[in-house]
Structure formats: C-alpha cells, structure tokens
Amino acid sequence: YQSLSGSKGAIRWSAPEVLIDYKISSKSDVWSFAIVLWEFLTFGETPYKELNDQQVLEKVCELEEEKKKRKR
C-alpha cells in the first residue's frame, strides 16, 4: 500500500477493531474484502470519499463506542 495523501495505512479499508485495537483476524479480512467489493460495485468510488482519513478514523471510533454502549 502506498499513500498519496501521506496517511500511515489503509484506514478506509480497515475494520474497526484494526483501527481501534490493532487486532487483525479473519473477520477484519472479510471487512476489507467487503470494502473492495463495494468499490467494485460502485465502479471505483473511494470509500467515505466525503471524509478525510482523520474524519474516517474519528467516525469509526465514535460508532464503535455507541455500539459498545448499546451492548451494556
């Protein structure tokens, strides 16, 4: 992976648990593959194209926190 924008990883393709806890598993691989399929089905659109990498990371973290609160 080579970033043209200076980011340190494939944030837009990474599962929430990878971004938050750095946990890589077969589930996170499935997430990344699903993003690639989404790109294919949208004829090459960039995931979360209206957000920059920092905003994507913040939104994913926010949504994961909400998800954890609902489980309690």
Side-chain angles (χ1 to χ4, degrees), residues 17-60:
E17 62 271 17
V18 173
L19 296 174
I20 296 168
D21 301 321
Y22 306 106
K23 292 181 181 176
I24 298 172
S25 67
S26 58
K27 290 180 182 180
S28 63
D29 290 343
V30 170
W31 175 283
S32 297
F33 182 66
I35 297 291
V36 170
L37 288 178
W38 178 86
E39 284 181 297
F40 177 76
L41 294 172
T42 60
F43 301 101
E45 289 287 324
T46 299
Y48 318 108
K49 69 179 179 181
E50 67 282 357
L51 304 173
N52 64 37
D53 286 348
Q54 182 62 38
Q55 291 170 321
V56 170
L57 183 57
E58 289 169 2
K59 191 66 170 174
V60 167

